[in-house]
């Protein structure tokens, strides 16, 4: 949870690229440890989508959000 919190804090502080870089690392770790459909992994993916959205990378953000929605169905 710590890495996800730091990534979210970076985003709120306007450090979008740092948030994305850390978010990608956290997502990779959570996916490996917990699996793709674990709630913690999905929360991290959603937060990462927010960072991509803030960076105007809308296609990447949409991709992550679609994955969250598919896993939660």
């Amino acid at each position: 949870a710590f890495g996800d919190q730091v990534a979210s804090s970076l985003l709120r502080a306007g450090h979008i690229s740092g948030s994305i870089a850390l978010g990608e690392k956290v997502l990779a770790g959570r996916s490996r440890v917990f699996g793709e459909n674990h709630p913690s992994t999905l929360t991290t993916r959603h937060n990462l989508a927010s960072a991509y959205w803030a960076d105007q990378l809308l296609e990447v953000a949409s991709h992550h959000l679609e994955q969250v929605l598919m896993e939660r169905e």
Side-chain angles (χ1 to χ4, degrees):
F2 179 73
D4 205 28
Q5 292 173 351
V6 172
S8 292
S9 294
L10 286 169
L11 180 59
R12 285 192 301 278
H15 301 288
I16 298 170
S17 61
S19 176
I20 290 172
L22 182 57
E24 287 287 359
K25 289 178 184 176
V26 173
L27 179 61
R30 290 205 171 153
S31 295
R32 184 179 62 255
V33 173
F34 298 123
E36 289 293 325
N37 62 351
H38 189 274
S40 293
T41 305
L42 295 174
T43 297
T44 297
R45 187 177 295 283
H46 183 269
N47 292 342
L48 181 57
S50 297
Y52 278 118
W53 188 270
D55 203 28
Q56 300 297 308
L57 296 169
L58 306 182
E59 286 186 29
V60 180
S62 294
H63 170 75
H64 283 290
L65 290 172
E66 287 172 4
Q67 286 189 302
V68 170
L69 289 173
M70 288 182 354
E71 291 295 336
R72 289 194 173 168
E73 287 183 342

